[in-house]
Amino acid sequence: MQSKNFDSSLTISKIALRRFVLGRQGLWPGRRYAGKSGIAEAIRQAEGIQFDPVRVIARSHEIALWGRVADFRPADLDALMFEDRAFFDQGGTLFINPMDELPIYLHVMQGIREGARWGTFASANGPLIEEVTEALRARGPLGNRDFTGRTRVEHYRSSKDSGVALHYLWLTGDLMTHSRRGNERLYDFRENVAPAAYNHVATRSEAERAFARKTLADWGICTARTWMRGYFDSLRQRVDVQAGNQILAALVESGEASSVRVEGHKEPHYLLSADLPHLVEIHAGRVPLAWKPLDTTTEDEVVFLSPLENVSARGRAKVLFDFEYIWEIYKPAHTRRWGYYTLPILYGDDLVARIDSKLDRKTMTLIVNGFWLEVDAPVEVPAFGDALGRGLTHFAQFHETRKLDLAAIQPAALRKHVEKIVAHQPLL
């Protein structure tokens, strides 16, 4: 679609595009958040952070926040979620979202309850759901581990019938995550978790408008086609092109969204009008004042992007950076091209390499299993070696490691350069 407000006079470069998207996500030109309040700002700026419980080095959401928050501590995130109740986790694709957005997600959860898949489950398992609910009333908060002697089932969410019932009640919003016992979610009733001000279901129009804005903010800037897929995915609805065009056009007509051109693309790209001044600054070769980093930039110190990072997961790395990235953790070992827990490496405004690493917790050694440079990586530029060394040191400090095993980094000249940088910085 093309609105009458389409401004063909502003054509931004692909570099400006990716700088804007990185900056809109809080990743460029460097970390600009700090402390517990900074974590809250970073999650809001990113429009949510995807959660994953797998811990090879750190969990994906922890790595994502480490890349945004100068002094990130997982304990501060837990406090925000489980003590302050400022954020909650939600969805099959599990995201951490601001608690004040709960009403619009409850609208989506209501649709899940009424949908064929989980509606059929509820109809067939009424006594099971009631039994689990009664146990929570009597003994909650509870995790699936607390339900003993259960019927074994074959289900992708749980091998126990109680686990499937808990998941259903959580998906539909009857239950929320009260806290976590390690990786295990402890459930409680929504009224016992959510502040009363947010414990209500948004209307359809409220939810549609909120997700229309959130989708634009999440992508930063995108085509109508891309926006439409994200918007309808958020609402868990089939794509309706005509309805989508009308909603996006209404955002532009109201002044809430704007459109610009991107070099090499025929279609207009859309962004929130509130973000347009930042894009104009970047287009002019400047860094927006609000994006000034607290300390180092991504040119001073590389950042390792999490496996589920908003700017690179779900095919976005190819669009923004021409960088092929698939998280291979769930692929059979013999089919992996890179490695089990490979992370893209952000240097400046580009993805220049990838690294597969693990944490040996017995010796507290961060081990680099594999390291792969992109063809155009500035491998012979000393500043890149400096930035890689600083990034690895910072990453090791975050994991409280005692040693770094860098033997897998090639070429040898780069490894030796990095080892010199690391040697001059304390790990603990």
Side-chain angles (χ1 to χ4, degrees):
M1 64 166 283
Q2 181 168 314
S3 77
K4 68 179 184 180
N5 291 339
F6 178 55
D7 180 6
S8 60
S9 64
L10 180 57
T11 300
I12 64 170
S13 67
K14 291 181 180 179
I15 292 176
L17 170 68
R18 71 189 189 210
R19 285 179 176 177
F20 173 78
V21 173
L22 285 166
R24 182 62 178 78
Q25 278 289 322
L27 287 165
W28 181 89
R31 295 176 179 88
R32 59 180 185 260
Y33 306 108
K36 183 178 169 184
S37 62
I39 296 173
E41 289 182 77
I43 297 173
R44 286 186 176 278
Q45 183 67 27
E47 297 295 330
I49 295 290
Q50 190 168 352
F51 182 100
D52 191 88
V54 175
R55 187 182 183 189
V56 175
I57 38 179
R59 298 175 179 91
S60 179
H61 56 284
E62 294 170 348
I63 297 172
L65 288 167
W66 168 82
R68 291 167 167 81
V69 183
D71 52 358
F72 172 69
R73 296 173 61 251
D76 288 337
L77 175 62
D78 289 344
L80 283 167
M81 295 183 68
F82 306 133
E83 297 172 18
D84 302 345
R85 300 299 181 193
F87 297 89
F88 69 101
D89 59 2
Q90 179 274 335
T93 304
L94 189 59
F95 268 80
I96 300 170
N97 294 306
M99 186 65 79
D100 58 14
E101 294 181 358
L102 178 63
I104 64 173
Y105 284 100
L106 287 174
H107 174 83
V108 177
M109 294 174 190
Q110 193 174 60
I112 294 172
R113 182 194 306 279
E114 297 167 357
R117 180 180 184 181
W118 287 103
T120 300
F121 172 83
S123 297
N125 293 276
L128 168 64
I129 293 170
E130 182 60 28
E131 182 182 357
V132 168
T133 301
E134 286 300 321
L136 281 161
R137 288 197 184 101
R139 302 188 286 124
L142 299 174
N144 190 33
R145 191 192 311 172
D146 299 307
F147 290 82
T148 58
R150 303 304 311 177
T151 300
R152 309 298 289 183
V153 296
E154 291 188 9
H155 195 277
Y156 73 101
R157 284 297 176 186
S158 179
S159 59
K160 297 189 330 190
D161 61 349
S162 56
V164 182
L166 287 166
H167 185 69
Y168 161 76
L169 291 165
W170 175 79
L171 276 180
T172 56
D174 296 284
L175 303 180
M176 293 184 71
T177 303
H178 170 273
S179 54
R180 283 186 175 266
R181 184 167 53 201
N183 277 340
E184 184 185 19
R185 180 185 291 117
L186 299 184
Y187 299 89
D188 202 354
F189 295 102
R190 188 176 76 235
E191 57 267 27
N192 296 337
V193 175
Y198 307 127
N199 189 14
H200 66 273
V201 181
T203 65
R204 177 173 178 173
S205 61
E206 288 171 339
E208 288 178 346
R209 186 163 187 84
F211 282 117
R213 188 211 67 82
K214 275 186 69 67
T215 302
L216 271 183
D218 173 32
W219 278 91
I221 182 169
C222 62
T223 65
R225 190 179 310 171
T226 296
W227 171 85
M228 208 171 299
R229 286 198 302 269
Y231 170 69
F232 284 106
D233 280 350
S234 298
L235 289 169
R236 297 177 68 94
Q237 296 177 11
R238 291 184 177 180
V239 174
D240 183 326
V241 175
Q242 183 177 1
N245 281 334
Q246 290 174 350
I247 292 167
L248 185 54
L251 286 177
V252 175
E253 293 293 332
S254 69
E256 194 168 357
S258 299
S259 55
V260 297
R261 285 194 184 279
V262 176
E263 65 178 16
H265 293 264
K266 293 182 179 179
E267 296 178 84
H269 282 59
Y270 296 86
L271 72 159
L272 294 176
S273 296
D275 290 331
L276 190 56
H278 297 326
L279 180 61
V280 171
E281 284 288 283
I282 292 169
H283 176 65
R286 298 185 292 267
V287 174
L289 184 60
W291 292 4
K292 294 287 186 181
L294 296 175
D295 191 1
T296 60
T297 70
T298 51
E299 289 187 349
D300 300 323
E301 177 187 303
V302 303
V303 169
F304 305 108
L305 300 187
S306 83
L308 299 173
E309 173 57 61
N310 291 352
V311 302
S312 51
R314 298 173 291 280
R316 294 189 184 184
K318 181 65 175 177
V319 175
L320 283 175
F321 308 99
D322 196 24
F323 185 92
E324 297 284 353
Y325 181 71
I326 297 175
W327 194 23
E328 298 182 310
I329 192 170
Y330 298 113
K331 295 177 68 174
H334 71 278
T335 66
R336 292 178 192 138
R337 182 181 179 188
W338 307 110
Y340 185 75
Y341 209 82
T342 300
L343 310 179
I345 299 178
L346 176 66
Y347 174 57
D349 59 18
D350 201 6
L351 300 184
V352 299
R354 64 193 80 211
I355 188 170
D356 179 39
S357 58
K358 69 176 182 179
L359 180 60
D360 183 337
R361 290 178 171 80
K362 289 183 179 179
T363 62
M364 290 308 293
T365 301
L366 183 64
I367 302 170
V368 177
N369 292 320
F371 179 80
W372 302 268
L373 290 157
E374 291 293 281
V375 174
D376 58 349
V379 63
E380 296 182 359
V381 177
F384 171 62
D386 294 347
L388 180 59
R390 295 189 192 106
L392 281 164
T393 302
H394 192 176
F395 203 49
Q397 291 167 339
F398 171 57
H399 294 93
E400 299 182 338
T401 60
R402 297 187 181 92
K403 294 186 293 183
L404 267 166
D405 183 343
L406 307 177
I409 293 181
Q410 295 294 332
L414 176 62
R415 183 183 68 251
K416 291 175 181 177
H417 185 122
V418 169
E419 287 173 342
K420 288 180 180 178
I421 299 300
V422 170
H424 288 88
Q425 300 180 82
L427 293 183
L428 290 177

